[in-house]
Amino acid sequence: MSSQLSVISKASQWRTTLNQSLSLRLLLMLGVGLLLLYPLKQLAAFVSEQDKSQKAQHHALAQTWGGAQSIIAPVLVLPYTEHFTSIDTITDNAGENRVISKDIFNDRTAILLPKSLEIRADLKTATEHPEIADAYKAHLSLTGTFDHAPLLNTTDGTRDFKWEQAYLALGISNTQALDEVANVMWNDKRLALEPGTLQSKLLPTGLHAVLAAKPPQGKKTTQTFKINLNLRGSHALAFAPLGELSSIRMTSGWANPNFADSLLPSKRGLSDNGFSAEWQISNLARNYPQYWIVEETKQTPDLQQSLARVSLDLPPTAYAKILALMPFAIYSIGFMFICLFAFSSKRSEPLHALQYALVGLGMLAFYAVLTALVEHLDFDSAYISAAIIITLILTIYIGLIFKKLNIALFSSLMLSALYILNYSEIATPQYSLLIEVCLIGIGLLILMYTTYNLKKPKPVLATLSIPNSTELVLAKG
């Protein structure tokens, strides 16, 4: 009997202490909040996987259209034969010196980059595949000159250039995306393009055009070229500044250009009609020479290390927006718990841990509902619908807990305000930190107001009525 009384006494003591101690109520609320971090993390992982899957599908589809394009062109590949005479003096058995000369011929291949290079690129949005939002069609014009005079400056013999075997190599990321046969002019002669660059280490993919030209007449060392290309692509377009001086100009109707991871343009403009960008790039801005001899070069230069590049940034996906919203769940659930704590502080019975947990899970369910709705609605419509659904459910539940209409209506207003503030996290991200700090401040003020008049709880035994042994015997009889 005494053991049963002890259990009843301890249970009553714990219940009375919990009812009277705001500190224990706060610890209970904090413990439930910490436990809710796990489902929040799991939900964020699920949304992240959905976002990765959507981006992977978009990337795979974009590759069928053309993908990100890099143009590294043109490169002049000029074979030649190097001739020099070796003269040696030898002494025969009779002690006489004799001079022996020997002609040596070595086949070499020179890689020559343009003296001047001017690139014009006009990007148009491709409408054939609306599901590839960053797809484009580009009209490219490359003009300039080659000057092989530096190759003539040699002190070892002579060089016989084989212009009939020389060719232009054009590096293009995806040649399958060429819309039309490119037009290549060398001086006044039109050249026929053939697949491959014939320089796989230098330019892995692309085209080449054999010059089949006669040697330049007289002392002329400058040759002109003009190349027109029409190709498809998506996400990005880049050019290698191969000239001693490269002038590049891009125009497009795209509204969100990004020049990160690129040589920055010297001029850029952005308007309602799109953007324009201009580069003036010297060969001093890159880390490879203007020409080199293949057989004498140990490491092939990397022509892709310095590019003039523009990325066509897409707006964030619906899943990416949800991921951006989810950190605010910690603040909104914490604020809602503080308000529920303040409401329950005037009650003799505190809120049960399960009630805190259900309110918190209901607020997390908002992101699950939103994730489901964005697959069928635009983001704004899905957000409003999810907010209305969760607000109605939680308002009814809180009203049933407290059985007071004013508390239910006030909870509804708070939830609506929290969802408006949550949306502003992506609508006006520059104010997100300010919003979060203000929410923490208001929550602290509510806690301060609720706890400013703490009173010492009454002794438990003074409030606990335990029947005496006579009453127990009579009750047993």
Side-chain angles (χ1 to χ4, degrees):
M1 179 65 68
S2 60
S3 62
Q4 293 179 356
L5 289 176
S6 176
V7 172
I8 295 173
S9 174
K10 289 180 179 179
S12 300
Q13 182 180 0
W14 165 252
R15 185 175 183 84
T16 304
T17 303
L18 180 61
N19 290 348
Q20 295 181 359
S21 174
L22 290 178
S23 299
L24 287 178
R25 294 189 190 185
L26 279 172
L27 289 175
L28 176 66
M29 179 185 71
L30 180 61
V32 173
L34 291 175
L35 289 175
L36 288 173
L37 291 177
Y38 179 74
L40 176 62
K41 181 181 178 181
Q42 294 298 108
L43 184 57
F46 172 75
V47 177
S48 178
E49 284 299 318
Q50 293 292 101
D51 184 48
K52 290 179 181 177
S53 176
Q54 187 181 61
K55 288 179 178 177
Q57 291 175 5
H58 176 271
H59 178 73
L61 191 60
Q63 288 301 111
T64 63
W65 177 256
Q69 293 280 17
S70 294
I71 310 300
I72 305 175
V75 173
L76 176 60
V77 182
L78 181 57
Y80 67 91
T81 299
E82 184 179 60
H83 171 222
F84 62 92
T85 302
S86 174
I87 300 177
D88 296 323
T89 301
I90 63 173
T91 303
D92 58 15
N93 295 332
E96 296 182 358
N97 293 329
R98 288 190 302 165
V99 176
I100 299 177
S101 63
K102 180 169 63 175
D103 289 329
I104 298 176
F105 297 88
N106 293 322
D107 290 331
R108 297 285 186 263
T109 302
I111 303 294
L112 191 63
L113 303 183
K115 177 75 172 179
S116 64
L117 177 61
E118 184 174 325
I119 300 174
R120 296 292 179 264
D122 184 27
L123 281 66
K124 303 291 185 184
T125 302
T127 57
E128 289 84 349
H129 293 278
E131 64 275 15
I132 310 176
D134 55 356
Y136 61 80
K137 286 184 174 181
H139 174 70
L140 312 177
S141 173
L142 294 81
T143 59
T145 60
F146 281 97
D147 187 358
H148 68 281
L151 297 176
L152 301 175
N153 298 328
T154 177
T155 57
D156 297 330
T158 60
R159 292 176 174 177
D160 180 21
F161 298 103
K162 301 176 181 179
W163 289 96
E164 70 282 359
Q165 299 178 16
Y167 59 91
L168 285 179
L170 313 179
I172 302 174
S173 299
N174 188 353
T175 56
Q176 295 179 353
L178 284 169
D179 267 346
E180 300 175 8
V181 177
N183 182 21
V184 180
M185 300 294 295
W186 179 260
N187 295 324
D188 296 326
K189 179 182 178 182
R190 182 167 183 170
L191 305 181
L193 282 170
E194 299 181 31
T197 64
L198 305 183
Q199 293 289 327
S200 57
K201 291 184 179 180
L202 183 66
L203 302 171
T205 59
L207 308 169
H208 75 279
V210 178
L211 300 186
K214 295 180 180 180
Q217 299 298 319
K219 297 183 179 180
K220 181 182 179 182
T221 59
T222 302
Q223 317 287 330
T224 62
F225 66 87
K226 183 176 182 180
I227 304 170
N228 291 320
L229 295 172
N230 290 293
L231 77 164
R232 307 185 306 271
S234 62
H235 182 60
L237 178 63
F239 295 95
L242 301 183
E244 282 190 17
L245 178 63
S246 300
S247 173
I248 304 171
R249 177 177 172 80
M250 288 190 201
T251 57
S252 173
W254 196 261
N256 300 305
N258 184 353
F259 300 101
D261 301 324
S262 163
L263 297 170
L264 294 178
S266 54
K267 294 181 181 179
R268 70 178 82 176
L270 186 62
S271 67
D272 295 337
N273 297 324
F275 76 89
S276 63
E278 295 183 16
W279 289 261
Q280 298 291 332
I281 305 172
S282 166
N283 62 344
L284 301 178
R286 55 176 213 252
N287 196 31
Y288 49 85
Q290 203 61 30
Y291 75 94
W292 62 92
I293 309 302
V294 173
E295 291 77 10
E296 299 175 0
T297 303
K298 295 181 179 179
Q299 185 174 2
T300 302
D302 182 8
L303 301 185
Q304 299 192 51
Q305 63 182 232
S306 300
L307 298 175
R309 185 175 189 269
V310 62
S311 298
L312 307 180
D313 283 355
L314 289 172
T317 64
Y319 296 117
K321 289 181 180 179
I322 296 173
L323 286 173
L325 292 172
M326 293 187 79
F328 191 79
I330 299 173
Y331 300 95
S332 58
I333 292 175
F335 186 80
M336 198 65 193
F337 277 12
I338 290 173
C339 292
L340 293 177
F341 172 79
F343 295 152
S344 66
S345 64
K346 304 301 180 183
R347 296 178 22 164
S348 58
E349 292 287 331
L351 286 182
H352 196 279
L354 180 60
Q355 292 171 323
Y356 277 117
L358 289 176
V359 171
L361 288 173
M363 297 185 73
L364 288 181
F366 164 77
Y367 300 100
V369 174
L370 179 58
T371 303
L373 290 178
V374 293
E375 296 182 359
H376 308 283
L377 302 173
D378 64 273
F379 183 81
D380 290 346
S381 299
Y383 189 92
I384 294 171
S385 301
I388 291 174
I389 292 170
I390 300 301
T391 299
L392 286 175
I393 293 173
L394 291 181
T395 298
I396 294 172
Y397 182 64
I398 293 172
L400 291 174
I401 293 174
F402 291 97
K403 297 180 175 60
K404 289 185 178 181
L405 181 61
N406 60 338
I407 291 180
L409 292 177
F410 187 71
S411 299
S412 177
L413 290 175
M414 284 192 302
L415 287 167
S416 300
L418 287 173
Y419 288 130
I420 292 173
L421 291 175
N422 201 177
Y423 186 83
S424 67
E425 291 276 304
I426 57 174
T428 54
Q430 65 271 26
Y431 296 112
S432 60
L433 181 60
L434 178 62
I435 292 171
E436 292 164 1
V437 171
C438 289
L439 205 59
I440 293 173
I442 295 172
L444 285 174
L445 287 175
I446 295 174
L447 277 178
M448 290 176 182
Y449 178 77
T450 305
T451 59
Y452 82 98
N453 193 23
L454 287 177
K455 296 180 180 179
K456 185 177 180 181
K458 296 179 181 180
V460 174
L461 294 178
T463 60
L464 180 63
S465 177
I466 302 177
N468 56 38
S469 59
T470 305
E471 291 173 340
L472 289 173
V473 170
L474 292 174
K476 185 176 181 181

